[in-house]
Amino acid sequence: MDYSAALDQAIGKLHEEGRYRTFIDIERRKGAFPRAVWTRPDGTETEITVWCGNDYLGMGQHPVVLDAMHEALDATGAGSGGTRNISGTTVYHKRLEAEISDLHRKEAALVFTSAYIANDATLSTLRKLFPGLIIYSDQLNHASMIEGIKRFDGAKRIFRHNDPAHLRELLEADDPAAPKLIAFESIYSMDGDFGPIAEICDLAEEFNALTYLDEVHAVGMYGRRGGGVSERDGLAHRIDIINGTLGKAFGVFGGYIAASARMVDAIRSYAPGFIFTTSIPPAVAAGAAASIAFLKTAEGQMLRDQQQLHARILKMRLRGLGMPINDHGSHIVPVHVGHPVHCKALSDMLLADFGIYVQPINFPTVPRGTERLRFTPSPVHDAKRIDQLVRAMDHLWSQCKLNRSVAVA
């Protein structure tokens, strides 16, 4: 086999379909979020505004987080030096897990190197704990959940997105005595829509099923203390396992699950993705713990309120221009383009001509024909930056002769 030719063919296919992904070199400036410096391919530098980051509240540059990380770095050095089972559990890891379990009002928490790994490792391990388990998964669950469920050696059922009636049909068709688990999300990040948590919990109780909720795009962002949509809606106590990330609203790195002490003990004892992975650096754990603690306070609530306000303003102004936005009331602002080449071209022009960085979202992240630009305003994307973005979008939409006043379901 000509391996080089096969690689060229695979990469060429992405280019032909207009969905080859290009990394741009940016350097965030401490204290200047959301500004960054873009190093162009010719080596010149340009100041830009990042509009697609997942550091939703700017906590990645908050003094409380940086001070905690500096203190831990000076005290312990860089890496943890091992897996959690072999010398990689420090006081910082224990402190972080205590903050997480308190955040979600659960007995225990377990930190992984990412929320992807937390989903994959946990969901794929459950068969070992519950023989005969059937997993029911929302059709639009994140790739990490899908991967974990694929590797799960047991029965799998896919229910239509946010459709409790279809979920009921699937539950009714299976053996009432079989152990069951329903896996879904609180916010689906590509459209910004909310999962029907209460209805799914009702079904779980009726059919004696466990609940597994991915709150990755909601932790830090919703609830009185940042515990996510399940906290906001008073439903966290009805969720058996909550998955979250430390790399988005908390602004650091890593992922976790929060659950009963017995569930956490079983996962940490059986999940290869946890057992055989070096633990996150102590400085990272310290920063994440400080971020969670800060966002539980009234100051954290002020950041959440400001972020929600800016998201509403941006959606209102884009909608006023007839932009095809999808507004489900969350902090995520997707603008549908519907063509991979056009989506990439708009992204490139926003960056090169207006200093606005928003990454195009193409297949397989979203279905073909639903390509989009996905904006994530923060508390410091102020009125001036929102105005610059709206004017740029208005100009490019006209220049490229794209549709306006298009309803998006």
Side-chain angles (χ1 to χ4, degrees), residues 106-160:
K106 298 297 183 186
E107 292 178 341
L110 193 65
V111 170
F112 293 77
T113 50
S114 71
Y116 187 109
I117 297 299
N119 271 334
D120 186 0
T122 302
L123 289 167
S124 63
T125 297
L126 291 171
R127 174 77 171 207
K128 300 174 186 176
L129 308 177
F130 307 108
L133 179 70
I134 304 170
I135 292 184
Y136 303 80
S137 174
D138 187 284
Q139 181 181 15
L140 295 187
N141 276 342
H142 187 264
S144 58
M145 300 175 77
I146 294 170
E147 190 63 29
I149 292 167
K150 280 181 178 177
R151 296 200 305 109
F152 166 78
D153 182 22
K156 312 163 185 69
R157 312 281 186 257
I158 309 300
F159 61 92
R160 289 187 293 270

Side-chain angles (χ1 to χ4, degrees), residues 241-257:
I241 305 174
I242 293 176
N243 169 275
T245 183
L246 305 170
K248 291 184 170 62
F250 295 128
V252 191
F253 176 80
Y256 63 84
I257 60 167

Side-chain angles (χ1 to χ4, degrees), residues 318 321-325 335-338 342-343 346 349-350 371-373 375 390-406:
L318 291 174
L321 293 173
M323 298 287 173
I325 71 167
V335 179
H336 284 244
V337 178
H342 296 164
C343 199
L346 286 168
M349 288 186 285
L350 283 168
E371 292 82 5
R372 66 201 64 181
L373 299 174
F375 298 96
V390 170
R391 289 177 183 274
M393 289 287 286
D394 186 28
H395 174 80
L396 291 178
W397 228 256
S398 297
Q399 178 181 322
C400 298
K401 296 182 173 58
L402 296 173
N403 290 332
R404 297 182 189 251
S405 299
V406 178

Side-chain angles (χ1 to χ4, degrees), residues 62-75 92 95 282-291:
H62 198 285
V64 167
V65 175
L66 300 185
D67 288 347
M69 295 184 74
H70 281 297
E71 180 183 341
L73 182 66
D74 291 340
Y92 301 99
R95 186 180 304 161
V284 171
S291 183

Side-chain angles (χ1 to χ4, degrees), residues 23-40 43-50 61 351 357:
F23 297 156
I24 73 166
D25 296 331
I26 64 172
E27 181 180 355
R28 303 204 319 166
R29 302 288 183 163
K30 186 177 73 171
F33 180 80
R35 296 198 304 276
V37 173
W38 169 39
T39 302
R40 296 171 180 262
T44 60
E45 294 185 345
T46 302
E47 186 175 282
I48 62 172
T49 300
V50 177
Q61 300 190 15
L351 181 63
Y357 174 44

